[in-house]
Every structure is written in structure tokens, then in C-alpha cells.
């Protein structure tokens, strides 16, 4: 249970025994308050195999509603009280936060009795009597009314959401627009200066058209940097091990370099002969250019080799360079030269792209000068329509079944093409609007042609002030997303259902679903109050990381790390930290502490499924499309990072890199918004961390429970799985095997029947090859049973997993069957459907209730010890399957 292999220690990191001690104390107090069997005494390093947990997966309102029914079924059999942990992701967190917040009194009331929340779930949820002040069941009735939690009151909420979305969309594009405008103006200045510099150096630079100066310098960059960097690589002849001591010290001198020197001298000789009239004059320029390229290549090679000799571009620095052989130094030189080549290619392409932007901007400018009134509105309207089409298309497509022919298309590439088209049109629209405004003010292109003209400087200054004003307000990045709307609706729907202030006040405004009560939400300190006794709630989110200096696997494939919030600690990919301390970094004196977020905000982040950062699904095209359409549900969380404490030295940065860091520090909101658009998230190596849906890393909620090695877990696998391929479960197994060394043994019906007791009662419920898809209501198959253990450790230290899959079981009542017949995708309707009708909501809840009751409807041990007895039987079944 130590830190993740390869992770660096931090001054605020704590070891697993300390974490387990804090969680064990809470579990002991909780069991005593509920009259449950106490935890057995065990050494601190023993896994918590006697603990039990309930895991509720992601899946939006579908998962929340099914999970509510499942918990009700478990509560009716007095099993729900026995769970020590509750681990949730996304939609599972909606109902998990509702349940755990039932233990709070609010409004100055004392905490409720530890058994009262379970009685709430054991109720039938019927409509409470408005005239009875002692009426019960209002909590479940509130949840039922909140099925369409995003717009529970209809048109009024829709209008509110539309107004907020339009405000945020315009705000985002205003920030993008003024940043683009400043960039364009600076490019114009650079273009003019480069044109003048080229002419001063005798390079024939065309004049009169914007962008040609940058284009000339792109050609010079290719000729004097890109080509020499490519040619220098071939001068790196590997030294012979048989060379003497002097040859070992002068390992970078070789025959290839001598040949290239002769070639360069030959080029100079040919140029001289041409100028003297002894050779065609046409050879002079070409020979000089050839000689210049050869000598620049040699100079670049020699300079790189000497830097390698001094320890630069060598992992470990000077010490490693001194210990390296000449052959090893030459390999490092080749790597460094290839990096130079890549840098030259980037610089050349970027300069050419900037030239193209200015060139296209000229066309737009002339159109704007010709029609300065109608053009900007037309272009702006087209751009807004395209943005709206992207938002609507993303919502519509996500609700439709993806046909097989479309699955074969490279969707990331299609998204990239679409984002490029949309971004280009928006860029042209900004250019047209700006130049139309300038034309109306009497300022034309000719006025701004010279970079230091007064009108130009005044315009640059005004735009710079606008950007600096925006840079002053970092919270704009989060306020302009739709996360706040999403989280506030979750709070009033699910935490409002547990707020007793709302009950029995029929004449009060707080009985209306449209109003958020000030006490609906809870701070983490209130929510995790040690005096209360709910199960220990673990909220799972994803820390997006697509740019990682130390972990290529995260950068290349996972694109994120798990971040879990628990009662006393945060866990970031295996590193434990106290919640009130900055995770993994050092605060300078006077530095800002980690951002304090309420439980409602954390639950909202845990359910941020659609955003610019989506874990392993992140790509440039998706980030650009969703960012430009402002479909942004993630949250930039201030972690308290100000100075890295990692012992691993950062790679050396060049002048351009330091300049970029300086600009990012000066214009932070623009920099982080740009990072979202490009899908470049630095993870825990940045001051602000981009958090999103926990399902972007692992969707079942089992990952952190397997990290703890909890003994028995019942998991509700409610992720979108219309074809019943068990993708989320497969992803969990893969991650647990790679990260924890867990191997999963599937327990079949024969093994369960041999174990007898409660294990044998589960045998008829097992999903097998004869029960594909959603079921026909002819059997009760709805679970899979596994034993997860680490090779080389005692089998009893493993975890028994009962994974519940929503299926149409035999015990489902008539109304659920009727809904299933009318809706072919039930119970796997799209996660994007967040507007549940009454019949839809009740069908999912009742199906969950039916399955939860089926798990423990047979005779067995007394409720207080039933889970412990079940784990013992499953351990016996796992042992039998090993024989």
C-alpha cells in the first residue's frame, strides 16, 4: 500500500498505515454506533480484509436511480448497514452524496440517529401527506420529482440555462477574440520587422503584402536551420573503440566531418571561380548556399558534441557524461541533433502558418473595407450557428446508437478536421469584425502597414489592456464553463432531498425544486464530520494529464490519474495527502492553500463527463470542438502548487520555452483556456489541476477499494453498455493487474454451490454465456462473482467482488416489463439522457430494488454478520477453484 512505483515523495505525503489508522477509527466508531460486530484486532500492515464496501459506478441519472433502488433492496434485508465504505463515480456519486448527507441535521438541528437514514431507504417512497406534519417519505418523493434535475420546472429552467450558456459562450469567445487580435497585431509587427531585416541583409524580400516577411524567414529557417540540422546528423560517425587516448578525448573528430569540410571548401572554390569568370555565373549563388549549409551543419554538429562532452543533453548531467564511453556520447549527440531537427521543423512550420494567417487576414480585410457593416454580422452569425450546430450535434449523436459503419471511421481525425474548419471560420470571423470596425473608424491596412505607426501602437496598447484586464481574473476560466450550472442543479436535486428544512413547509419557497436552499450544500468538513456515522464515502475523479515529463504511460495512453477524496485524505495515483495540505508540493511563505470545494462541487466534478479533458479519450480534435462550443464541464482546481518538491531535475529549457512560461504566468486565464482547447494538461506538475469525471480513468468505483484491499465489495456496474460487453469491468481488471498486480478469478455456479450457504444462493443469479444482453425476464441472472488477489500473498487477503449488472430479471413487476417493451434500450438508455420522466425514473428504481432484494432474499446468517459469512463462503469457493 505504498506510493505508486516511480512516484516522488513529497513533504506532505503520508503512508498507508496512517491513512488506514484514521479510516479504521471511523469504522470502529460507526460499527459501535450501529451495533455491528467490531473489527478484529490486527497488525497495522494487515489489509482491511474484514471491511466491506458498496461501489456505485458512473452513468448519470440512470446510474443514480438504479443505485437508489439497489440500496433500497439491500436496506430492506438489513444488509446496507454493514457496508463500511461507499465508493462512487459520477452518477453513483449523486445518490451516494444524498444518502450520506441524510445523517446531517442542518439548520442547527442535531445529527439524526445513525439508523434513521436506513429507515428512509426502507420506506416505500409514496407521496407524503401534505396535511400530516409527521408525514415521511418526502426525501424519496423529492428525488422522484428531480428526475429531470437539469430543468425540473420546465420552461423557466430552460430559459435560465440558455441565458447562462449564451453568456458564457460569448464571454469565452470574447477572451479568445481579444487574445487572437493581440496575436495578429504582434504578428503584423514581426512581419514588418522581419521584412526590414531581410532587406538589410540583402535578401530579396517582397514588399506590399502582409505575411511575405514571415514567409521569407520561414524559407531562411528551412535553409539555414532545418536542412543543416538534418545534414549534421550524417556527420556523426561512430568512433572506433581501438582509438588511442587522444582519439578517445577527441571522439567527435571523424572522417565524415573532414569530407564535409572538403565539400564546403569546394563550394567556396566554385563560387570564387564563377565570380572570376572561369565558371558559369549561375553556379555562384548555388555554390555559396551549398557551402553555407555545409559549414552551418558542421558548426551545429561540433557545438552539440561539445555540449554533450560537458554533460548537456545527457541524462544525469556531468557525472553521467564523464562515465560515458565515446560511443555513448556519440549516441547522445545523435539524439540531440534529432531534437534540434524537430525544433527547426516546428519553428519553420509555425512561421509559415503565421504567414498564411496574415495572408488570409488580408483577404478578409479587403472584404471588410468593401462592406464594413454587413460582413462582420454575416460572418459572426455563421460562426455562431456553427458553434451551436456542434453543441447540438454532440448532444444528439451521443443519444443515438453509433452504427457499425461509423465505428470504422477514425473519429479523432474527423473531430480534428471539423475543429480545424470551425476554428478557421471563427478566426476569419474575428478578422472580419476587427477590420470592419477599423474601417468604420477610418483606419485602413495602409495605416497599419508600418509596425510603429501611431495608430498601430495605440491599437496594440488598447488590445493589450483588454487582455491584461482579463488576465487579472483567473476565476473566469471556471465561471465561463457550464460546471457551475451543472453542480448547482445536482445540489438542489440530490442534496436538497436530504435537507430537512425543505420538509413539511408547504407554503415556503423551499418546497419548490427551482430554488436552491442555502443549506443544501455542505463543506467537506461538515460532510465528513467524525461525529456522524455514514459509510466512509470515497469520491472518485480524474486528474487529466496529457503532458507528463516523468510518466510516458500516463502521457501516451491514460492521459490522466485517479484522484480520490476520502474523509481525511486525498489519494492522487497512490500518493496519500491530508485534505487540508497541498498535495505533493511546497508552498512558499504566504502562498495560497488548496482550493476548498464543497461536497456538491466535488460530486459535480466527479460527474463532468463532457469536457475538453476526458482522460484516455482526450484528443486535439475533441478538445478544440468542445472548447470552441464551450461544452466544458471540468474544473481547474487550485492545488496549492507553487514550487516543485520533486527530486527529479526538470529538463533544460530554451529561450522560447522560458518566454512561453513568462507569457503563461502573465496571462494565466488565456493560457489555461488555450490548454483546454489544445488538450494539453500538465497534471500534477501545474499550479491548477484539471479535474473531470472519475469514469475518465475508471468507472466502476472499484479501483480505490482494490487499492485498499477491502475484503468484500458489492458493485453496481451501471456504465453505458448497450451491447453488454462489460467494458468498464474489463478496464478495471486491466488497471488493477498493471497497477496492483491483482489477478481476477471468476467463480462459477459449481464453485459457489460446493461452498454452500449464502454463496450457493448466488449461483442462480450468475450471468453466463446463456444469458446475453439485457435479458428477457425469464431468469434472475444479474451478477458476476470474482475473487481478486495478488499472486504470492495469502488468498484470504484478497477481495470478493459481486458485480451487479442491470438486466431485466424474472422478478421485475409488470410496469417495469411494460416500460422495457416500449423502450428497447432499457435498462441501458444513453447516459446523456438527464431528463427522466416519472415512468422512466420509477422503472430504473424498481428494477434496482428488485435486484437488490434478490441478492439476499434466501435464508442465511443474521443481517449483522451476513456479509462476513458471505465473504467466508466466497473465500472457500475461491480456494476450491484453485485446487
Amino acid at each position: 500500500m505504498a506510493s505508486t512505483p516511480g512516484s516522488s515523495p513529497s513533504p506532505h505525503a503520508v503512508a498507508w498505515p496512517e491513512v488506514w489508522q484514521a479510516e479504521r477509527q471511523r469504522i470502529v466508531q460507526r460499527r459501535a454506533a450501529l451495533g455491528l460486530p467490531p473489527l478484529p484486532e490486527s497488525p497495522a500492515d494487515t489489509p482491511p480484509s474484514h471491511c466491506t464496501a458498496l461501489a456505485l459506478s458512473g452513468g448519470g441519472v440512470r446510474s443514480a436511480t438504479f443505485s437508489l433502488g439497489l440500496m433500497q433492496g439491500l436496506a430492506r434485508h438489513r444488509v446496507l448497514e454493514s457496508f463500511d465504505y461507499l465508493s462512487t463515480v459520477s452518477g453513483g456519486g449523486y445518490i451516494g452524496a444524498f444518502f450520506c448527507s441524510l445523517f446531517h441535521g442542518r439548520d442547527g438541528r442535531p445529527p439524526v440517529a445513525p439508523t434513521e437514514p436506513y429507515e428512509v431507504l426502507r420506506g416505500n417512497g409514496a407521496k407524503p401527506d401534505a396535511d400530516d406534519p409527521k408525514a415521511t417519505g418526502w426525501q424519496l418523493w423529492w428525488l422522484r420529482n428531480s428526475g429531470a434535475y437539469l430543468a425540473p420546472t420546465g420552461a423557466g429552467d430552460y430559459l435560465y440555462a440558455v441565458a447562462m450558456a449564451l453568456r458564457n459562450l460569448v464571454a469565452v469567445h470574447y477572451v479568445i477574440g481579444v487574445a487572437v487580435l493581440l496575436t495578429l497585431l504582434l504578428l503584423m509587427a514581426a512581419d514588418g520587422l522581419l521584412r526590414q531585416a531581410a532587406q538589410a541583409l540583402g535578401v530579396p524580400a517582397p514588399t506590399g503584402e502582409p505575411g511575405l516577411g514571415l514567409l521569407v524567414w520561414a524559407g531562411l529557417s528551412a535553409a539555414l536551420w532545418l536542412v543543416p540540422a538534418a545534414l549534421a546528423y550524417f556527420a556523426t560517425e561512430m568512433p572506433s573503440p581501438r582509438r588511442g587516448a587522444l582519439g578517445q578525448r577527441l571522439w567527435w573528430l571523424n572522417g565524415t566531418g573532414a569530407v564535409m569540410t572538403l565539400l564546403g571548401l569546394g563550394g567556396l572554390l566554385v563560387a570564387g571561380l564563377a565570380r572570376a569568370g572561369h565558371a558559369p555565373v549561375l553556379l555562384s549563388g548555388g555554390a555559396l548556399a551549398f557551402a553555407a549549409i555545409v559549414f552551418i551543419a558542421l558548426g551545429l554538429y561540433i557545438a552539440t558534441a561539445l555540449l554533450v562532452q560537458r554533460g548537456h543533453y545527457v541524462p544525469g548531467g556531468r557525472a553521467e557524461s564523464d562515465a560515458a564511453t565515446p560511443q555513448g556520447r556519440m549516441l547522445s549527440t545523435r539524439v540531440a541533433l534529432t531534437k534540434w531537427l524537430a525544433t527547426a521543423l516546428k519553428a519553420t512550420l509555425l512561421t509559415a502558418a503565421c504567414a498564411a494567417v496574415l495572408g488570409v487576414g488580408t483577404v478578409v480585410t479587403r472584404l471588410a473595407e468593401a462592406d464594413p457593416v454587413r460582413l462582420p454580422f454575416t460572418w459572426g452569425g455563421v460562426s455562431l450557428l456553427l458553434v451551436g450546430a456542434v453543441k447540438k450535434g454532440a448532444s444528439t449523436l451521443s443519444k443515438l446508437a453509433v452504427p457499425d459503419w461509423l465505428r470504422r471511421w477514425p473519429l479523432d481525425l474527423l473531430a480534428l478536421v471539423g475543429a480545424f474548419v470551425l476554428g478557421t471560420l471563427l478566426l476569419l470571423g474575428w478578422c472580419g469584425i476587427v477590420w470592419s470596425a477599423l474601417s468604420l473608424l477610418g483606419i485602413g491596412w495602409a495605416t497599419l502597414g508600418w509596425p510603429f505607426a501611431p495608430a498601430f501602437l495605440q491599437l496594440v496598447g488598447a488590445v493589450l489592456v483588454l487582455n491584461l484586464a482579463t488576465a487579472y481574473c483567473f476565476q473566469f476560466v471556471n465561471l465561463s464553463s457550464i460546471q457551475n450550472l451543472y453542480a448547482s442543479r445536482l445540489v438542489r436535486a440530490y442534496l436538497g432531498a436530504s435537507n430537512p428544512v425543505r420538509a413539511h413547509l408547504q407554503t415556503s419557497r423551499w418546497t419548490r425544486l427551482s430554488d436552491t436552499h442555502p443549506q443544501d450544500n455542505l463543506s467537506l468538513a461538515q460532510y465528513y464530520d467524525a461525529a456522524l456515522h455514514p459509510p466512509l464515502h470515497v469520491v472518485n475523479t480524474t486528474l487529466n494529464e496529457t503532458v507528463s515529463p516523468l510518466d510516458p504511460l500516463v502521457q501516451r495512453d491514460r492521459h490522466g490519474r485517479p484522484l480520490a477524496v476520502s474523509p481525511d485524505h486525498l489519494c492522487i495515483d497512490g500518493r496519500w495527502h491530508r485534505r487540508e495540505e497541498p498535495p505533493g508540493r511546497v508552498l512558499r511563505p504566504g502562498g495560497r492553500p488548496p482550493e476548498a470545494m464543497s461536497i456538491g462541487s466535488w460530486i459535480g466534478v466527479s460527474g463532468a463527463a463532457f469536457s475538453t479533458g476526458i482522460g484516455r479519450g482526450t484528443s486535439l480534435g475533441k478538445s478544440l470542438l468542445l472548447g470552441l462550443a464551450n461544452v466544458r464541464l471540468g474544473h481547474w482546481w487550485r492545488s496549492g502548487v507553487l514550487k516543485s518538491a520533486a527530486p527529479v531535475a526538470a529538463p533544460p529549457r530554451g529561450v522560447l520555452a522560458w518566454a512561453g512560461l513568462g507569457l503563461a504566468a502573465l496571462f494565466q486565464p488565456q493560457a489555461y483556456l488555450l490548454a483546454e482547447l489544445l488538450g494539453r494538461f500538465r497534471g500534477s506538475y501545474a499550479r491548477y489541476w484539471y479535474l473531470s469525471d472519475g469514469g475518465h480513468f475508471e468507472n466502476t468505483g472499484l479501483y480505490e477499494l482494490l487499492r485498499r484491499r477491502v475484503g468484500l465489495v458489492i458493485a453496481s456496474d451501471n456504465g453505458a453498455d448497450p451491447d453488454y460487453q462489460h467494458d468498464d469491468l474489463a478496464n478495471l481488471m486491466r488497471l488493477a493487474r498493471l497497477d496492483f498486480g491483482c489477478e481476477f478469478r471468476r467463480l462459477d455456479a459449481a464453485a459457489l454451490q460446493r461452498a454452500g450457504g449464502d454463496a450457493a444462493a448466488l449461483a442462480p443469479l450468475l450471468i453466463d454465456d446463456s444469458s446475453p444482453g439485457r435479458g428477457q425476464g425469464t431468469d434472475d441472472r444479474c451478477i458476476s462473482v470474482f475473487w481478486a488477489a495478488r499472486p504470492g500473498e495469502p488468498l484470504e487477503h484478497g477481495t470478493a467482488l459481486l458485480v451487479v449488472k442491470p438486466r431485466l430479471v424474472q422478478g421485475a413487476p409488470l410496469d417495469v416489463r411494460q416500460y422495457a417493451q416500449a423502450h428497447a434500450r432499457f435498462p441501458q438508455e444513453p447516459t446523456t439522457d438527464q431528463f427522466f420522466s416519472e415512468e422512466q425514473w420509477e422503472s430504473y428504481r424498481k428494477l434496482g430494488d428488485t435486484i437488490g432484494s434478490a441478492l439476499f432474499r434466501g435464508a442465511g446468517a443474521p443481517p449483522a454478520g451476513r456479509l462476513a459469512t458471505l465473504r467466508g463462503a466466497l473465500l472457500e469457493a475461491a480456494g476450491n477453484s484453485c485446487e
Side-chain angles (χ1 to χ4, degrees), residues 528-596:
Y528 288 126
D529 189 346
L532 306 177
H533 304 293
L536 278 63
H537 188 188
V538 180
V539 181
N540 296 279
T541 67
T542 297
L543 167 59
N544 285 268
E545 185 174 316
T546 59
V547 181
S548 175
L550 300 178
D551 198 334
L553 178 63
V554 172
Q555 176 183 347
R556 184 185 67 247
D557 294 328
R558 297 186 178 183
H559 290 173
R561 302 178 186 272
L563 188 155
V565 182
S566 59
D568 300 291
H569 298 86
L570 293 178
C571 182
I572 300 99
D573 202 8
R575 300 192 301 273
W576 302 89
H577 306 274
R578 299 180 187 89
R579 281 195 290 106
E580 68 277 5
E581 295 177 344
R585 297 292 186 266
V586 176
L587 276 172
R588 292 194 181 104
R592 302 179 70 185
E595 177 186 355

Side-chain angles (χ1 to χ4, degrees), residues 97-162:
F98 155 74
F99 174 67
C100 291
S101 62
L102 285 173
F103 291 79
H104 294 263
R106 293 191 179 94
D107 195 29
R109 294 175 171 84
V112 302
T115 57
E116 184 174 327
Y118 299 95
E119 295 299 332
V120 170
L121 291 188
R122 279 190 276 270
N124 58 18
K127 184 177 181 179
D129 187 352
D131 298 326
D132 183 3
K134 297 183 179 180
T136 59
W138 66 270
Q139 297 96 334
L140 299 180
W141 184 252
W142 185 278
L143 288 179
R144 179 177 287 107
N145 286 341
S146 301
Y149 72 97
L150 287 176
T153 61
D157 277 328
Y158 280 118
L159 187 60
Y160 176 90
V162 169

Side-chain angles (χ1 to χ4, degrees), residues 407-751:
R407 294 176 187 269
R408 293 190 291 267
W409 282 79
L411 296 182
D412 285 344
L413 179 60
L414 293 178
L416 181 60
V417 172
F420 176 78
V421 172
L422 179 60
T424 301
L425 291 175
L426 287 172
L427 178 61
L428 296 177
W430 291 322
C431 290
I433 292 171
V434 169
W435 285 111
S436 293
L438 292 176
S439 180
L440 290 174
L441 293 174
I443 302 175
W445 181 264
T447 309
L448 301 178
W450 174 246
F452 300 106
F456 182 88
L457 293 178
Q458 292 171 8
L459 182 60
V460 170
V463 176
L464 180 59
V465 168
L466 291 176
N467 279 276
L468 289 174
T470 305
Y472 182 76
C473 178
F474 180 83
Q475 63 179 346
F476 164 83
V477 182
N478 288 324
L479 291 178
S480 62
S481 72
I482 54 178
Q483 170 60 219
N484 291 307
L485 172 66
Y486 176 63
S488 66
R489 298 291 170 87
L490 286 176
V491 165
R492 77 181 184 186
Y494 290 92
L495 296 179
S498 62
N499 185 357
V501 181
R502 292 184 179 272
H504 315 309
L505 299 177
Q506 299 303 317
T507 60
S508 170
R509 62 175 292 197
W510 305 122
T511 60
R512 296 202 301 265
L513 294 173
S514 58
D515 294 319
T516 300
H517 191 276
Q519 295 178 15
D520 282 345
N521 211 344
L522 296 167
S523 68
L524 287 188
Q526 293 173 313
Y527 186 74
Y528 288 126
D529 189 346
L532 306 177
H533 304 293
L536 278 63
H537 188 188
V538 180
V539 181
N540 296 279
T541 67
T542 297
L543 167 59
N544 285 268
E545 185 174 316
T546 59
V547 181
S548 175
L550 300 178
D551 198 334
L553 178 63
V554 172
Q555 176 183 347
R556 184 185 67 247
D557 294 328
R558 297 186 178 183
H559 290 173
R561 302 178 186 272
L563 188 155
V565 182
S566 59
D568 300 291
H569 298 86
L570 293 178
C571 182
I572 300 99
D573 202 8
R575 300 192 301 273
W576 302 89
H577 306 274
R578 299 180 187 89
R579 281 195 290 106
E580 68 277 5
E581 295 177 344
R585 297 292 186 266
V586 176
L587 276 172
R588 292 194 181 104
R592 302 179 70 185
E595 177 186 355
M597 293 204 306
S598 65
I599 186 61
S601 296
W602 279 108
I603 293 299
V605 168
S606 178
F610 297 96
S611 196
T612 49
I614 51 176
R616 62 173 49 84
T618 304
S619 68
L620 175 60
K622 293 175 186 173
S623 297
L624 272 173
L625 273 180
L626 295 176
L628 291 174
N630 203 34
V631 182
R632 301 164 50 233
L633 273 175
H635 181 81
W636 288 100
W637 181 62
R638 189 186 70 242
S639 64
V641 173
L642 286 182
K643 180 181 178 183
S644 175
V648 180
R653 295 188 175 99
V655 176
L656 293 178
W658 281 112
L661 289 176
L663 286 174
L666 182 61
F667 300 102
Q668 280 197 37
Q670 293 92 328
Y672 280 94
L673 186 58
L674 179 63
E676 278 199 69
L677 292 173
L678 299 181
R680 293 182 62 82
F681 305 102
R682 294 180 57 221
S684 58
Y685 302 97
R687 179 179 310 214
Y688 289 87
W689 298 1
Y690 193 72
L691 307 180
S692 65
D693 194 309
H696 294 158
F697 182 81
E698 197 281 310
N699 197 48
T700 67
L702 286 166
Y703 184 84
E704 292 298 328
L705 299 175
L706 291 176
R707 186 195 302 280
R708 287 170 168 80
R709 289 191 275 188
V710 175
L712 172 69
V713 183
I714 295 180
S716 182
D717 182 11
N718 307 321
D721 189 13
D723 298 326
Y724 284 83
Q725 298 296 313
H726 302 276
D727 296 336
D728 291 338
L729 188 59
N731 178 58
L732 166 76
M733 291 182 174
R734 191 177 302 114
L735 290 172
R737 185 184 302 117
L738 292 173
D739 295 350
F740 308 142
C742 280
E743 293 294 341
F744 291 76
R745 183 178 296 110
R746 189 164 192 164
L747 305 183
D748 57 18

